[in-house]
Amino acid sequence: ETGVTQSPTHLIKTRGQQVTLRCSSQSGHNTVSWYQQALGQGPQFIFQYYREEENGRGNFPPRFSGLQFPNYSSELNVNALELDDSALYLCASSSDTGQLQYFGPGTRLTVL
Amino acid sequence: GEDVEQSLFLSVREGDSSVINCTYTDSSSTYLYWYKQEPGAGLQLLTYIFSNMDMKQDQRLTVLLNKKDKHLSLRIADTQTGDSAIYFCAESGESDYKLSFGAGTTVTVRA
């Protein structure tokens, strides 16, 4: 069974740029959730995708957007990057919006 | 998360038991979880408990839930150096798709 994978591992961008992060869900899972974890804090929910539709969103501005593809993999896009967007971005997969979410290793984004 | 609170640090001697505590505010929470995060890594789901349960045991891990006081604890028996990590308490509601996390408890195991 393949676990959740994310790419890239690390990324450095400058303020104002755009970034795309990628996530492949665990085999058999059709739901992907994205979280932002700032240094020293717990993860904060960004949004969830189920069957290629956004299924819920946390308190993040519209410049955070996402996609889910027919194979259930997902992308997180962030436009107009700000310094405070520097964080570990975590993707989690689950089955049918179920509440057991399994996390990938994360993408560390640094905005300079 | 503002709805889940944990103490920030715990130091324990190798071989002793560790107890990590968590309080939550949402009375409609149906699932409560413990995740482990090692340095530079993602979150590993350690265990979870349904809100209609009082206790769950899984090898060295024991979860206790006091729903009246909205208090959750994780006991790790025979703590090992590999247990050094940050432990996150999280909750989700019955119709809720998101996990709400605490700030994490850093557990340090000393020889």
Side-chain angles (χ1 to χ4, degrees), chain A residues 2-24:
Chain A
T2 308
V4 179
T5 60
Q6 293 186 243
S7 63
T9 306
H10 296 90
L11 205 50
I12 299 175
K13 292 285 189 179
T14 56
R15 203 167 38 176
Q17 285 188 312
Q18 177 265 343
V19 68
T20 298
L21 310 182
R22 295 178 175 84
C23 170
S24 291

Side-chain angles (χ1 to χ4, degrees), chain A residues 24 27 29 44 46-47 56 64 69 72 74 77 91 99 104 111:
Chain A
S24 291
S27 57
H29 287 177
Q44 297 290 317
I46 303 174
F47 42 55
F64 285 77
F69 300 99
Y72 307 126
S74 177
N77 298 289
C91 161
Q99 292 160 315
V111 182

Side-chain angles (χ1 to χ4, degrees), chain B residues 56-103:
Chain B
K56 180 178 180 181
Q57 189 154 2
D58 184 2
Q59 300 182 331
R60 292 192 298 122
L61 305 179
T62 302
V63 179
L64 294 178
L65 175 61
N66 181 327
K67 195 173 180 182
K68 173 177 170 289
D69 294 337
K70 299 189 185 70
H71 182 267
L72 181 75
S73 67
L74 174 68
R75 178 178 179 269
I76 306 173
D78 187 25
T79 309
Q80 303 298 306
T81 54
D83 295 324
S84 292
I86 303 175
Y87 291 80
F88 290 95
C89 170
E91 61 88 21
S92 64
E94 182 174 357
S95 59
D96 214 351
Y97 34 76
K98 68 175 185 179
L99 301 181
S100 295
F101 286 86

Side-chain angles (χ1 to χ4, degrees), chain A residues 69-100:
Chain A
F69 300 99
N71 66 354
Y72 307 126
S73 66
S74 177
E75 286 183 356
L76 164 65
N77 298 289
V78 187
N79 294 322
L81 284 166
E82 300 177 359
L83 296 180
D84 284 349
D85 295 332
S86 294
L88 181 67
Y89 287 85
L90 295 162
C91 161
S93 75
S94 55
S95 178
D96 291 332
T97 72
Q99 292 160 315
L100 290 184

Side-chain angles (χ1 to χ4, degrees), chain B:
Chain B
E2 57 188 299
D3 300 321
V4 181
E5 291 191 359
Q6 306 176 233
S7 52
L8 293 182
F9 300 100
L10 176 67
S11 178
V12 61
R13 192 183 303 274
E14 189 176 9
D16 288 351
S17 293
S18 310
V19 179
I20 308 167
N21 295 300
C22 167
T23 57
Y24 60 98
T25 58
D26 188 351
S27 58
S28 67
S29 296
T30 54
Y31 284 72
L32 295 125
Y33 312 81
W34 286 103
Y35 281 87
K36 176 183 180 183
Q37 186 175 39
E38 297 186 63
L43 273 66
Q44 174 193 354
L45 177 60
L46 282 179
T47 187
Y48 62 95
I49 189 168
F50 297 107
S51 61
N52 61 357
M53 298 170 63
D54 297 325
M55 185 183 87
K56 180 178 180 181
Q57 189 154 2
D58 184 2
Q59 300 182 331
R60 292 192 298 122
L61 305 179
T62 302
V63 179
L64 294 178
L65 175 61
N66 181 327
K67 195 173 180 182
K68 173 177 170 289
D69 294 337
K70 299 189 185 70
H71 182 267
L72 181 75
S73 67
L74 174 68
R75 178 178 179 269
I76 306 173
D78 187 25
T79 309
Q80 303 298 306
T81 54
D83 295 324
S84 292
I86 303 175
Y87 291 80
F88 290 95
C89 170
E91 61 88 21
S92 64
E94 182 174 357
S95 59
D96 214 351
Y97 34 76
K98 68 175 185 179
L99 301 181
S100 295
F101 286 86
T105 300
T106 299
V107 173
T108 303
V109 181
R110 60 187 193 278

